[in-house]
Each structure stands twice: as structure tokens, then as C-alpha cells.
Amino acid sequence: IHRNVEYKKLEKMGEGTYRTVFKAENRETHEMVALKWMRLDDNDEGVCRVPPSRRPQDLKKYFDSCNGDLDPEIVKSFLFQLVKGLGFCHSRNVLHRDLKPQNLLINRNGELKLADFAGVVTLSNRPPDVLFGAKLYSTSIDMWSAGCIFAELVNAGQPLCPGNDVDDQLKRILWLLGAPTEEQWPSMTKLPDYKPYPMYPATTFLVYVVPKLNATGKDLLQNLLKCNPVQCISAEEALQHPYFSDFCLP
């Protein structure tokens, strides 16, 4: 935590119910940072500093600045850093729970930082078990969201399943991945908000919506996006996937 006097606020980057993010400059080093003001209660406010980055921007703005055209190696680099960050958090029993491009900060060196740890997953990146009302969940909630972001990276910033509401979101997911049977996901029908959905064919359409992705990338994506959370690949396993076999983080 740093005193506000050490930084000169330049512009507002974003605002939510409990926090406001400013672009700021360190008065001594002239380093560009993101400052987050967080409301703790009705009387107190705190300031939280995102790790140093020059000209910080979120991944959504990065998409816009690149006109949605990302080099495959940049996609791989961002995903690797995202999964590595999740692995660090998960090994310490910390879940993010609201992964989306707006919560991933990118600096001019291509470094990716996780931000805005929250309590509710954005609808378009919400896994099926949470959409079915699950109250208890594990690291799979973040890995599913990482899969959605992976597809968005590949598809020039286009969300994988932009549903209008919970029902629409579930239908889009089940059409994309195929509706799981009770044998494939035994606890599905016991979830609080479960209701029967059309039995979309088991043949997945997922591989067809990411045409730019190579075969190993499609395999990793399919392992990230599993309706049954028990079957979802972990961060540690994802880092060992062949998709990253020829990748070295600069």
C-alpha cells in the first residue's frame, strides 16, 4: 500500500460499485501504474497498487488497440501467463472467480497481471455448474473462465458464448460442447437450479468456432471447457500440455 502523495493521478480507467481504477504516475520514478481505490466500508477507504506496469491497460483495451489481430505466439504467451498466475493462486487456495479481459492487465512489455479478484463470475465466462446454481466450487471455476478467454484471444476479442441470460448461456454452452448425460456428469441433476435441456448432439462444435487454433491448442481448449467440473484440467496440468511444449516465456 502506498501513500497517494507518491503518485499523480492522470485519468480514470474504470469504475465499479466498490472500486475505481486510475492511471497514475510515480512522482519520483515517473513510472506509469494503475491505482485502485477500494471502498472498505461506509467510513474508510483504502488504496491498493497493482504491480508496476508502464502504460497499463486491460486485455479488452489491448484487443481494441490491435484491432483484434493477435499473433499466435502472443496468444500463447498471454494464456501461459494467465494459467501460471492461476496456478500460483490455486496452490495457495485462492480463487479469482471473475476472470475476463477487463480484469487482466497488460503492460508494454507483454506482461499479464491478474486483477479484480471478485465474488461473481461474469455471465459469459460462467461455468455450467455455477449456472446450474452450484454454491460449492473449486479451481475449475477459474480454469473454465481461462478457456473462455483463450477462445476470445484466438477469435480477435469475440466472446465464446455471449449469452443474454442464464438460460440462454446454458443453451449456448450445451450446443457448443454437447449436452452431458448423467453418466458423464452424475451430480448434474442434483444441482439447485438444474432443469432438463435439449440433448444436443455429443459431437462438439467447439473445434469449429476456433478455426485459427492449431490441433494442440484445440485439445487444450477442450480440456479447459468441461461441463463436469471434476473433468476440468488443472492449472498445473495445463502448463504441461503439448500446446506449450515449444514455448519459452521471454
Side-chain angles (χ1 to χ4, degrees):
I1 296 176
H2 297 256
R3 296 177 312 214
N4 186 41
V5 294
E6 295 180 8
Y7 297 93
K8 176 183 177 182
K9 287 189 293 186
L10 301 177
E11 62 179 285
K12 185 184 293 185
M13 296 174 63
E15 187 170 10
T17 305
Y18 298 105
R19 54 72 178 149
T20 304
V21 181
F22 294 94
K23 181 179 180 180
E25 179 183 11
N26 186 304
R27 296 180 187 273
E28 295 182 2
T29 66
H30 302 293
E31 181 181 53
M32 304 305 293
V33 301
L35 287 178
K36 180 185 293 182
W37 286 88
M38 299 185 68
R39 183 174 298 280
L40 302 179
D41 55 38
D42 292 338
N43 301 314
D44 299 319
E45 288 189 352
V47 64
C48 186
R49 181 187 178 212
V50 175
S53 58
R54 296 156 66 189
R55 295 176 59 189
Q57 61 181 328
D58 62 41
L59 184 57
K60 178 64 169 64
K61 291 181 180 178
Y62 186 90
F63 280 139
D64 296 338
S65 68
C66 298
N67 295 320
D69 186 18
L70 270 63
D71 184 273
E73 287 304 305
I74 292 179
V75 171
K76 189 175 294 188
S77 174
F78 285 169
L79 181 65
F80 183 90
Q81 293 180 76
L82 170 57
V83 174
K84 194 170 182 65
L86 289 177
F88 179 88
C89 294
H90 294 170
S91 68
R92 288 157 178 78
N93 298 317
V94 174
L95 303 179
H96 188 286
R97 301 194 295 181
D98 195 24
L99 286 173
K100 56 185 176 181
Q102 293 89 334
N103 289 344
L104 300 175
L105 299 182
I106 309 291
N107 69 14
R108 63 162 53 167
N109 296 324
E111 296 170 331
L112 181 146
K113 307 290 183 181
L114 277 64
D116 267 6
F117 287 68
V120 179
V121 175
T122 300
L123 181 63
S124 61
N125 291 355
R126 199 177 299 178
D129 58 317
V130 178
L131 291 169
F132 277 136
K135 304 301 181 186
L136 298 176
Y137 38 79
S138 68
T139 57
S140 61
I141 190 173
D142 288 338
M143 300 312 295
W144 173 279
S145 297
C148 294
I149 292 171
F150 185 16
E152 195 165 343
L153 283 167
V154 174
N155 287 339
Q158 296 299 315
L160 180 65
C161 291
N164 299 314
D165 51 40
V166 170
D167 186 65
D168 183 44
Q169 186 69 24
L170 274 167
K171 287 179 178 178
R172 288 171 181 260
I173 290 172
L174 298 180
W175 176 86
L176 196 64
L177 302 180
T181 64
E182 287 194 55
E183 290 74 21
Q184 295 169 325
W185 189 3
S187 60
M188 174 177 61
T189 58
K190 298 181 177 63
L191 292 171
D193 300 332
Y194 171 79
K195 61 179 180 180
Y197 279 84
M199 290 304 296
Y200 296 106
T203 302
T204 176
F205 292 103
L206 181 62
V207 295
Y208 301 110
V209 298
V210 283
K212 296 180 182 178
L213 195 57
N214 62 25
T216 56
K218 289 176 180 177
D219 183 77
L220 175 56
L221 183 60
Q222 287 178 306
N223 280 282
L224 288 167
L225 298 177
K226 295 288 187 181
C227 288
N228 184 349
V230 175
Q231 298 172 351
C232 188
I233 194 172
S234 69
E236 183 178 357
E237 291 168 335
L239 291 174
Q240 301 303 316
H241 191 275
Y243 176 67
F244 295 117
S245 62
D246 60 347
F247 174 72
C248 292
L249 187 66

